């Protein structure tokens, strides 16, 4: 009780079960999505009007704890989609994975992406990870949340990601793919 890293109001659409990692210097990194008063105002909404906020107001945020114990926050570019994943490379560059919604019909049931693009983001320690950019975008539609092989990432520096294609007809089976990146 009383211990907190960063205050985020409950009515800003904070999504639970996000992702975190620790870099090689021992800094904690957390990646999550929520709205802010500014992103809500930009789309003509207000805190608490919708459970998770309108999709256009949702953003990914990188929270990190510096070695002196200070928490900092950096936004990632573009709107948020699925629950993201974050990984630290041996040189403390950070990579984030998420499926961003593509098109007006990409979201269903509030927060689940049915049609989206796998996005690979990158940021570096020299800027304090304020230089987040989209590194790669998958060229076809996928759904759900990306999973990665953390053992291979740690051992080889290769990023293997499991995604599911969006079916052409709702309810039909669709392909599972393993995509490999060598960041």
């Amino acid at each position: 009780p009383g211990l907190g890293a960063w205050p985020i109001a409950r009515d800003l659409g904070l999504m639970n079960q996000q992702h975190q990692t620790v870099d090689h210097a021992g800094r904690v990194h957390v990646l999550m999505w929520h709205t802010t008063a500014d992103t809500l105002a930009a789309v003509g909404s207000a805190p608490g009007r919708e459970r998770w906020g309108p999709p256009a107001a949702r953003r990914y945020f990188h929270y990190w704890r510096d070695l002196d114990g200070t928490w900092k926050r950096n936004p990632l570019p573009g709107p948020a989609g699925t629950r993201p994943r974050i990984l630290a490379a041996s040189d403390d560059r950070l990579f984030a994975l998420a499926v961003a919604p593509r098109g007006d019909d990409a979201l269903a049931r509030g927060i689940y992406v049915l049609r989206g693009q796998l996005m690979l983001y990158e940021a570096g320690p020299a800027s304090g990870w304020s230089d987040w950019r989209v590194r790669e975008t998958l060229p076809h539609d996928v759904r759900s949340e990306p999973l990665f092989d953390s053992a291979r990432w740690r051992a080889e520096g290769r990023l293997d990601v499991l995604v599911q294609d969006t079916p052409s007809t709702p309810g039909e089976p669709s392909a599972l793919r393993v995509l490999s990146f060598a960041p």
Side-chain angles (χ1 to χ4, degrees):
L3 180 63
W6 198 281
I8 302 170
R10 187 178 181 112
D11 60 359
L12 289 178
L14 177 61
M15 173 50 58
N16 62 1
Q17 298 177 358
Q18 303 295 292
H19 204 238
Q20 56 276 329
T21 193
V22 177
D23 67 23
H24 292 80
R27 294 172 291 231
V28 175
H29 299 270
V30 178
L31 191 59
M32 56 200 311
W33 70 256
H34 56 81
T35 65
T36 66
D38 290 340
T39 64
L40 287 167
V43 298
S45 190
R49 189 176 294 168
E50 295 180 48
R51 184 170 182 183
W52 290 289
R58 299 173 191 163
R59 295 291 182 272
Y60 291 118
F61 290 96
H62 165 227
Y63 291 88
W64 62 283
R65 186 175 182 267
D66 206 347
L67 295 175
D68 67 4
T70 305
W71 282 92
K72 301 177 181 183
R73 179 177 85 175
N74 296 319
L76 276 69
T82 60
R83 292 177 183 109
R85 305 289 186 251
I86 188 166
L87 306 96
S90 59
D91 61 0
D92 291 333
R93 283 180 301 150
L94 296 177
F95 295 92
L97 288 165
V99 175
R102 179 164 43 190
D104 294 336
D105 64 341
L107 295 172
R109 297 175 291 168
I111 59 168
Y112 299 100
V113 174
L114 297 179
R115 189 167 57 88
Q117 296 177 292
L118 178 70
M119 309 293 282
L120 176 63
Y121 303 88
E122 178 181 5
S127 70
W129 300 281
S130 64
D131 60 345
W132 282 102
R133 66 180 179 91
V134 175
R135 165 103 182 231
E136 293 189 44
T137 303
L138 190 69
H140 64 278
D141 289 343
V142 297
R143 66 182 305 162
S144 80
E145 298 171 1
L147 301 174
F148 68 94
D149 184 340
S150 58
R152 186 164 193 196
W153 172 253
R154 284 190 304 271
E156 301 174 28
R158 289 200 54 82
L159 183 56
D160 288 351
V161 182
L162 175 69
V163 294
Q164 181 180 6
D165 287 356
T166 298
S168 55
T169 304
E172 282 188 3
S174 61
L176 292 175
R177 297 180 189 272
V178 176
L179 308 168
S180 293
F181 300 94

